């Protein structure tokens, strides 16, 4: 990475404003998936062990600028405390006299967590005064919030105008791993794309047409492409306003001689319900009163065959409604196959909240080359866009703010 990292600066005794992405799912006041907290540990521990006075900040959910007791960071602090094996204190507000006092009492190797930054509308508005106030708490800014790096908010961008600003270890690892998909990835480079929202992902596919040899489409995503080719899909999820766009992407793929694969069979069901009666049909025979909920076994076999030759694979979006076990076979098969390819030396990178959850649930995360903690951020990065949270950090050869 061409940005300075925590390893390039002296943190001993310094007050460090550490922005992490601790935006985790909660249920009844408990963290249900702590992957993002665990991913943030290396930088937290690195700073504490080197005598930094760490001020840890994150957002949680979408409180839209108002205090919302259900979105307080206490459950996150509790989980972090278990993982660190030490108490984690949290402030009542991200800003204010109480915070000043707490910070003034921090000693080397101490950690203080700020309350949810998004209780202040100024955070998402990237308000200059708010950014200055955050910066005023510290001597150094460390950004480890890769999952928020595609947003120019006060704690990810504004703050960098007032402090020396460097990357944390997670952000560095994300950027380095995802960078392997830009420039000149090892060929053949194939992309597997699925999930529900076509509109949000067409730009990524378009950008990848210049770098990939093959695009393999599954999930709800495939429906829109199939519909654009005139395949009737019953009650399936189709983004009707994207048909023209889908056609354009497919002819672009043809022009650039990129193989564009769509499912040839599917699992269908009358509704998305865990007890719905499911069956496998050829893609041209989806009954009028049924919907596509997964790719079928012939499609899995064809995709596996193609992916078996890949040296680089990027995967975003599940192949079906994987949250329900009876519609998860396609997603699970692709995940297992890709883990196997990675074990045989292929570079396999997975990005996207739900795809990552699917891989995690199968316990395959450690087998893959890289599993990104950033959904939207990983997509924008792979698309080749500059992430404001990364761009704002100090350059390795440049000077600091
Ligand atoms: P990611 O978070 O990995 O980027 P998305 O958010 O785009 O993925 O899509 C994930 C969602 O897509 C899941 O909730 C899954 O149930 C849904 N999905 C996948 N295939 C289908 C389908 N055929 N019909 C409806 N929903 C689908
Ligand atoms: Mg998602």
């Amino acid at each position: 990475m061409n940005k300075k990292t925590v390893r390039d600066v002296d943190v001993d005794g310094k007050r460090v404003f550490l922005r992490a992405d601790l935006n985790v799912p909660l249920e009844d006041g408990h963290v249900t998936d702590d992957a993002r907290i665990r991913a943030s540990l290396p930088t937290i521990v690195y700073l504490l062990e080197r005598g930094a006075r760490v001020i840890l900040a994150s957002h949680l959910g979408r409180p839209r600028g108002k205090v919302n007791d259900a979105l307080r960071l206490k459950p996150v602090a509790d989980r972090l405390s278990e993982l660190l094996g030490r108490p984690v204190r949290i402030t009542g507000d991200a800003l204010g006299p109480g915070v000043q006092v707490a910070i003034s009492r921090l000693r080397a190797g101490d950690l203080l967590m700020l309350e949810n930054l998004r209780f202040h509308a100024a955070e998402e508005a990237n308000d200059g005064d708010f950014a200055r106030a955050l910066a005023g708490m510290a001597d150094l800014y460390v950004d480890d919030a890769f999952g928020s790096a595609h947003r120019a908010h006060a704690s990810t961008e504004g703050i960098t105008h007032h402090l020396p600003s460097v990357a944390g270890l997670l952000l560095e690892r994300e950027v380095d791993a995802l960078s392997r998909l830009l420039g000149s990835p090892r060929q053949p480079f194939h992309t597997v794309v699925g999930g529900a929202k076509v509109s949000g992902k067409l730009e990524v596919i378009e950008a990848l047409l210049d770098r990939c040899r093959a695009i393999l489409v599954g999930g709800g995503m495939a429906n829109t492409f199939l519909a654009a080719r005139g395949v009737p899909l019953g009650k399936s999820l189709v983004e009707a306003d994207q048909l023209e766009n889908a056609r354009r992407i497919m002819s672009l793929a043809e022009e650039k001689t990129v193989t564009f694969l769509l499912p040839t069979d599917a699992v269908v069901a009358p509704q998305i319900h865990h007890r719905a009666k499911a069956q496998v049909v050829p893609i041209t025979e989806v009954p009028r009163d049924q919907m596509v909920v997964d790719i079928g076994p012939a499609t899995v076999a064809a995709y596996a065959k193609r992916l078996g030759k890949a040296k680089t694979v990027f995967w975003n979006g599940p192949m079906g409604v994987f949250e329900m076990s009876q519609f998860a076979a396609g997603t699970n098969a692709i995940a297992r196959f890709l883990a196997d390819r990675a074990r045989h030396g292929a570079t396999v990178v997975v990005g996207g909240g739900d795809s990552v959850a699917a891989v995690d649930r199968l316990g395959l995360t450690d087998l893959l080359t890289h599993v990104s903690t950033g959904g939207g951020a990983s997509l924008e990065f792979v698309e080749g866009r500059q992430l404001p949270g990364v761009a704002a950090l100090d350059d390795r050869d440049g000077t600091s703010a």
Side-chain angles (χ1 to χ4, degrees):
M1 193 169 62
N2 61 355
K3 295 292 180 180
K4 282 189 184 158
T5 77
V6 277
R7 284 195 300 269
D8 298 316
V9 287
D10 177 24
V11 300
D12 190 10
K14 296 255 176 73
R15 293 172 305 160
V16 175
F17 188 102
L18 172 59
R19 175 61 159 101
D21 186 342
L22 305 175
N23 182 31
V24 293
L26 296 179
E27 230 174 85
D28 303 326
H30 289 278
V31 175
T32 54
D33 177 357
D34 67 356
R36 278 186 165 165
I37 305 178
R38 282 185 285 113
S40 301
L41 282 176
T43 303
I44 297 173
V45 171
Y46 181 95
L47 290 170
L48 293 175
E49 280 180 349
R50 280 159 187 78
R53 295 183 278 163
V54 179
I55 303 150
L56 175 62
S58 176
H59 73 281
L60 179 65
R62 298 193 168 164
R64 299 189 185 286
K66 291 202 186 67
V67 175
N68 177 341
D69 284 333
L71 293 175
R72 288 195 178 275
L73 277 164
K74 172 92 170 47
V76 176
D78 289 347
R79 183 69 192 118
L80 177 60
S81 161
E82 283 168 21
L83 291 166
L84 285 173
R86 58 191 274 176
V88 173
R89 280 211 312 128
I90 181 158
T91 59
D93 188 356
L95 218 59
V99 177
Q100 294 305 330
V101 172
I103 290 173
S104 70
R105 290 189 182 141
L106 285 177
R107 282 170 309 184
D110 278 354
L111 172 71
L112 177 71
M113 193 162 162
L114 302 183
E115 185 52 280
N116 195 342
L117 291 163
R118 288 195 189 164
F119 287 173
H120 295 265
E123 161 65 359
E124 288 183 83
N126 198 2
D127 176 82
D129 290 336
F130 187 69
R132 210 168 295 115
L134 296 179
M137 299 176 188
D139 311 303
L140 171 72
Y141 171 69
V142 175
D143 187 4
D144 215 20
F146 182 74
S148 310
H150 57 317
R151 306 271 181 245
H153 292 167
S155 70
T156 61
E157 200 276 334
I159 191 171
T160 66
H161 298 289
H162 309 288
L163 286 175
S165 302
V166 302
L169 303 171
L170 171 64
L171 189 130
E172 179 189 30
R173 187 157 61 85
E174 291 271 10
V175 168
D176 283 346
L178 292 167
S179 296
R180 298 168 79 167
L181 306 177
L182 302 169
S184 42
R186 284 194 297 154
Q187 293 290 355
F189 172 22
H190 294 344
T191 290
V192 185
V193 61
K197 282 199 89 185
V198 175
S199 34
K201 296 186 182 175
L202 283 184
E203 285 143 359
V204 189
I205 297 184
E206 192 168 341
L208 286 168
L209 286 176
D210 289 324
R211 277 175 267 147
C212 282
R213 297 269 171 85
I215 311 259
L216 290 61
V217 191
M221 182 92 186
N223 297 345
T224 301
F225 286 102
L226 289 162
R229 285 191 177 167
V231 180
L233 291 169
K235 294 198 299 178
S236 301
L237 171 85
V238 170
E239 282 186 52
D241 60 340
Q242 294 295 328
L243 295 179
E244 197 45 54
N245 242 337
R247 259 177 236 122
R248 188 178 57 82
I249 297 276
M250 288 189 285
S251 48
L252 261 181
E254 208 173 306
E255 257 171 55
K256 298 181 192 250
T257 61
V258 176
T259 306
F260 197 88
L261 294 185
L262 289 172
T264 54
D265 65 343
V267 177
V268 296
Q271 73 258 77
I272 296 180
H273 187 277
H274 67 280
R275 280 201 303 269
K277 193 174 166 332
Q279 56 174 321
V280 175
V281 298
I283 203 67
T284 48
E285 288 168 33
V286 176
R288 288 181 59 159
D289 58 346
Q290 308 252 326
M291 56 179 82
V292 172
V293 288
D294 195 7
I295 55 174
T299 305
V300 169
Y303 285 13
K305 189 166 174 220
R306 178 69 58 161
L307 292 169
K309 302 194 184 81
K311 291 232 166 56
T312 308
V313 180
F314 174 57
W315 180 22
N316 169 279
M319 297 290 99
V321 185
F322 77 105
E323 294 92 336
M324 293 179 197
S325 58
Q326 68 160 338
F327 310 142
T331 302
N332 291 351
I334 296 294
R336 291 204 179 92
F337 187 79
L338 289 180
D340 189 63
R341 294 312 306 149
R343 204 167 49 226
H344 287 90
T347 300
V348 181
V349 177
V350 182
D354 293 286
S355 349
V356 168
V359 163
D360 239 2
R361 210 170 61 177
L362 294 170
L364 298 173
T365 302
D366 293 342
L367 296 177
L368 299 165
T369 316
H370 185 68
V371 175
S372 179
T373 55
S378 67
L379 283 180
E380 288 196 18
F381 193 93
V382 170
E383 207 182 310
R385 282 207 244 173
Q386 280 244 15
L387 305 186
V390 177
L393 301 176
D394 298 343
D395 289 330
R396 195 167 269 291
D397 46 11
T399 47
S400 62

